[in-house]
Amino acid sequence: MGDCGDAEDEFEDALEVIPAHCKMDLNTALSDSKIAIHLFFNNKFDEAQHILEPWVGTSMYHTIGRSIFLFLEALLTFEQASIQKASAALKSSIRLCNSYRRKTTLTQSIGNIMKKPNYDSYTPDELHAELCFAEALLLKALLTFIEDETLVSFIRAGIKIRSCYNSYKECNVILTSREWSENEKSYKEHFESGVRLGIGAFNLMISLLPSKIIKLLEFIGFSGSKEQGLGELELCYQVPHGLRHVLCVLTMLTYHLVVVYVFSQEEGDLEFCDAALRQQLTLYPNGAWFLYFKGRLEFMRGDVDDAIKWYTASVESQDSWPQFHHICYWELCWANCVALNWKRAETYAAKLAEQSKWSRTTYNYQRACIMLMRGYNCLSRDELNTVNQLMADVPKYKQRIAGKSLPMEKFAVKRSQRFTNQNNRLFMPAIELLYLWNLFNVFGKRKSLCDNLYRLIDRNTKDLEKNPGQYGSEYEYDNKALGCLLKGVCLRIMNSPLHAEECLKSVVSMEKKIKEDRFLVPYAHVELAFLYKSKGNLDKAAYYLETAKKKITLVIRWRRDCIFKSIVLGPR
């Protein structure tokens, strides 16, 4: 494998000359890749690697296949050695793909500006070299984000992604403009699945970004449409024998079962997910990835017990990649929280805090929060000491990426400070996290889950009213507002709109009394918007959303002014 080095010149590397006797024909390479993919998704990772290894460095598909395995390992482990190994493998893939691409002279390059190239003259190897080149560029760009967490690195990654995006667009032109012969049917099928997956994933990814970033990306040549993205992925899904079909399924499952529920109030296409998972679990009955997604499907349906069963099956299905267990531990932690099984949830939270390197700040904080939900008086002295130590450790592991702190880590650090200021206590901290992770909608799928949640919130808010001093007096209205917000949201998903509205408006009425958690007021406005939308009153819903937007701006200004005053006035 080539030298990793610091230079970022892999996109302009001189073309390597591959000896003719070392080349593998494309048909065999595609066949080997399909076998390797089948083995990989049946948890036979070593067998998949053994198929690819002999031809790494000479065959495009064998080389990029191994790079994908190393990329996934780097993503799961976050270990620097794994990241560097994956980076070196991807650089080699990029160089190799470059060597197979159509060579153009300077005169031809100038001519291509005036008219499009004659793609009918491209050989199958040259066509697939363009696609594999785009894929390798994308993976290398994504790896850059975790390889070097500086602003300069982010800019470099953005430039690489732009190059990759242009490569995919050219592949799409090839797909639609080339006259494919009958004996090229297999080559076209594999090519089409890759192009549609790339274009679809790009459009979907860009469409999910904040509007300000989308406008900036459009200015420099990017564009993204959620409808186009999903449309391309559906077309890719309809090419069942395409090499990237299984990757397309994973992308669509991730969108419909994870992205939709984390970033919106919409529902994913659960019928599609159910049908796709039945098909994939027939092909890969012990596949850790699909067992995980089956668990996620049941979780989003509100079938918590079934979800836990499938997540556990995913963990038990393989030991080769223990880092994949962490994804399941995260889900098992929150599934048990939804079931209000705090002791069991803490078991998985502890595993994450001890084993995973993704965000120790978040993991330590959520473990402490879950332990606190059992009740201050129900924890032993050792357990209380554990909670205190976890909260003390929260700020130690805070990360900065591209000069910015992660929002959830910033929140965890502030809450750990609040814990100290409130006599080493927090008010319903794990329920607050369930709300922030957008998991209240899961409660709404099952009446029993909703009823249990409501009783817990009601009991704690009444206890706060009776004994507000247990958290100190400084944050009395912050805690009351949080209790009213959580209760109002719970009542909304229980279809009790009048009582929900009363609770949410009480949060708004406390605005001037809240000391620190001013974000609770715009949250309440957003929830009121959802409430009026469910009633069919879209004008009122729009009013509350616009009010929330203004309130969030005021919160940001308030925080900025507080920081400015603390700098000017100093400690008092």
Side-chain angles (χ1 to χ4, degrees):
M1 199 161 291
D3 178 26
C4 183
D6 294 323
E8 295 296 330
D9 60 348
E10 62 267 25
F11 299 103
E12 295 86 23
D13 274 324
L15 301 179
E16 293 184 348
V17 178
I18 307 298
H21 69 275
C22 291
K23 291 184 180 178
M24 167 177 276
D25 69 277
L26 186 58
N27 261 331
T28 306
L30 290 167
S31 177
D32 278 3
S33 297
K34 288 204 79 170
I35 295 169
I37 286 172
H38 187 78
L39 290 169
F40 178 83
F41 285 105
N42 265 320
N43 302 336
K44 297 178 180 179
F45 306 119
D46 291 340
E47 290 93 327
Q49 291 271 34
H50 290 156
I51 288 176
L52 301 175
E53 285 288 354
W55 291 95
V56 169
T58 56
S59 164
M60 285 183 296
Y61 273 103
H62 290 73
T63 304
I64 197 170
R66 180 174 178 273
S67 297
I68 290 171
F69 292 167
L70 292 173
F71 171 81
L72 290 172
E73 185 177 349
L75 206 61
L76 290 171
T77 63
F78 263 53
E79 291 176 354
Q80 200 58 36
S82 297
I83 292 170
Q84 290 175 356
K85 193 175 180 182
S87 179
L90 285 164
K91 286 182 179 181
S92 294
S93 295
I94 290 166
R95 286 196 294 269
L96 182 63
C97 292
N98 238 336
S99 73
Y100 278 96
R101 295 171 73 204
R102 170 63 67 96
K103 316 301 186 294
T104 55
T105 65
L106 179 61
T107 304
Q108 288 171 329
S109 297
I110 295 172
N112 289 341
I113 297 173
M114 306 300 294
K115 63 176 183 177
K116 69 179 182 180
N118 179 15
Y119 293 120
D120 290 342
S121 68
Y122 278 43
T123 67
D125 281 292
E126 289 170 341
L127 293 173
H128 281 266
E130 292 294 332
L131 178 57
C132 291
F133 180 73
E135 290 174 336
L137 287 184
L138 176 59
L139 295 178
K140 185 66 179 73
L142 294 176
L143 193 65
T144 302
F145 287 110
I146 61 173
E147 190 175 6
D148 180 9
E149 298 167 353
T150 63
L151 181 59
V152 173
S153 175
F154 265 55
I155 294 171
R156 285 176 178 168
I159 294 170
K160 291 175 186 175
I161 287 177
R162 178 180 170 81
S163 299
C164 169
Y165 185 64
N166 289 334
S167 293
Y168 268 117
K169 287 203 296 185
E170 183 171 3
C171 287
N172 196 39
V173 173
I174 293 172
L175 175 66
T176 55
S177 64
R178 178 181 167 90
E179 291 290 335
W180 297 85
S181 64
E182 186 60 33
N183 60 2
E184 290 180 330
K185 183 178 179 182
S186 176
Y187 296 136
K188 181 189 177 185
E189 196 171 53
H190 295 308
F191 187 81
E192 181 177 1
S193 74
V195 173
R196 296 204 183 281
L197 173 61
I199 297 290
F202 253 114
N203 273 275
L204 205 55
M205 180 176 65
I206 294 172
S207 72
L208 294 168
L209 295 172
S211 58
K212 287 184 179 179
I213 296 178
I214 290 176
K215 288 177 182 177
L216 176 62
L217 290 175
E218 287 174 345
F219 178 74
I220 61 174
F222 281 103
S223 62
S225 161
K226 183 177 77 172
E227 290 72 22
Q228 184 184 352
L230 289 173
E232 290 290 334
L233 290 172
E234 285 166 8
L235 288 171
C236 178
Y237 183 73
Q238 291 167 20
V239 186
H241 301 296
L243 188 62
R244 282 88 171 173
H245 181 264
V246 65
L247 299 177
C248 171
V249 173
L250 286 175
T251 303
M252 295 180 78
L253 289 174
T254 301
Y255 175 76
H256 287 299
L257 293 177
V258 180
V259 174
V260 169
Y261 290 98
V262 172
F263 295 108
S264 75
Q265 293 292 316
E266 298 176 8
E267 286 283 328
D269 188 344
L270 300 188
E271 286 187 15
F272 163 80
C273 294
D274 192 21
L277 282 167
R278 280 185 194 156
Q279 180 192 60
Q280 297 305 313
L281 285 169
T282 300
L283 294 170
Y284 313 109
N286 296 311
W289 301 82
F290 296 108
L291 291 170
Y292 159 76
F293 278 114
K294 177 64 173 172
R296 182 74 185 180
L297 172 63
E298 298 306 328
F299 193 22
M300 293 304 100
R301 286 171 164 170
D303 295 329
V304 176
D305 291 340
D306 273 357
I308 290 171
K309 181 187 76 174
W310 287 102
Y311 288 142
T312 304
S314 178
V315 171
E316 293 174 348
S317 69
Q318 59 87 30
D319 293 315
S320 299
W321 282 17
Q323 299 83 11
F324 188 75
H325 295 171
H326 300 159
I327 298 174
C328 295
Y329 292 160
W330 175 272
E331 297 290 335
L332 283 162
C333 172
W334 294 113
N336 279 286
C337 283
V338 167
L340 307 186
N341 188 341
W342 307 117
K343 188 72 175 174
R344 189 66 178 160
E346 196 263 327
T347 300
Y348 295 107
K351 287 178 183 286
L352 286 170
E354 292 162 4
Q355 300 174 18
S356 180
K357 297 182 180 180
W358 279 4
S359 174
R360 294 186 68 183
T361 288
T362 302
Y363 294 145
N364 283 344
Y365 176 69
Q366 73 182 31
R367 181 186 175 190
C369 290
I370 290 167
M371 292 179 74
L372 287 170
M373 290 304 301
R374 287 162 51 198
Y376 191 83
N377 296 325
C378 296
L379 297 173
S380 67
R381 183 182 296 275
D382 286 345
E383 287 174 327
L384 287 172
N385 288 337
T386 298
V387 171
N388 294 342
Q389 188 59 55
L390 287 168
M391 287 294 191
D393 287 344
V394 164
K396 293 180 183 178
Y397 303 108
K398 184 181 174 187
Q399 305 172 84
R400 294 184 74 83
I401 297 179
K404 298 287 186 179
S405 300
L406 301 177
M408 185 50 75
E409 289 196 347
K410 287 170 67 175
F411 177 80
V413 169
K414 288 190 74 68
R415 277 292 186 258
S416 70
Q417 294 166 351
R418 174 77 67 82
F419 172 78
T420 303
N421 295 340
Q422 289 188 161
N423 306 322
N424 286 4
R425 298 190 183 207
L426 285 175
F427 181 63
M428 290 195 291
I431 304 301
E432 181 180 37
L433 285 177
L434 283 166
Y435 175 68
L436 293 177
W437 288 122
N438 213 12
L439 287 170
F440 264 49
N441 286 338
V442 177
F443 289 98
K445 303 291 178 66
R446 288 288 181 274
K447 185 177 185 302
S448 59
L449 294 176
C450 257
D451 290 345
N452 292 337
L453 177 66
Y454 179 79
R455 283 195 290 269
L456 175 65
I457 295 173
D458 188 52
R459 184 170 67 248
N460 277 273
T461 50
K462 286 178 178 176
D463 183 54
L464 179 66
E465 288 289 339
K466 291 177 184 176
N467 186 17
Q470 61 184 306
Y471 301 98
S473 59
E474 192 176 3
Y475 299 100
E476 178 182 352
Y477 285 96
D478 296 66
N479 291 326
K480 284 182 177 178
L482 175 60
C484 288
L485 175 68
L486 296 175
K487 193 172 185 177
V489 178
C490 187
L491 287 164
R492 177 177 68 78
I493 63 177
M494 292 174 74
N495 294 318
S496 297
L498 293 177
H499 290 105
E501 185 176 0
E502 183 182 342
C503 288
L504 295 170
K505 285 185 174 178
S506 69
V507 177
V508 176
S509 70
M510 297 182 212
E511 181 174 12
K512 293 183 179 178
K513 297 178 181 178
I514 294 173
K515 175 180 172 59
E516 190 174 89
D517 297 342
R518 301 191 175 216
F519 62 86
L520 295 173
V521 176
Y523 276 22
H525 280 100
V526 170
E527 292 298 334
L528 283 165
F530 291 145
L531 191 65
Y532 279 106
K533 182 186 175 185
S534 66
K535 290 180 178 181
N537 191 336
L538 298 183
D539 290 339
K540 264 287 186 68
Y543 164 77
Y544 277 111
L545 279 177
E546 190 59 34
T547 305
K549 184 178 176 181
K550 292 176 182 176
K551 293 290 182 185
I552 288 171
T553 303
L554 289 173
V555 169
I556 293 170
R557 286 177 183 167
W558 172 77
R559 286 179 178 167
R560 182 190 62 200
D561 291 345
C562 286
I563 293 169
F564 176 76
K565 287 176 183 176
S566 68
I567 292 171
V568 173
L569 300 176
R572 300 179 65 183

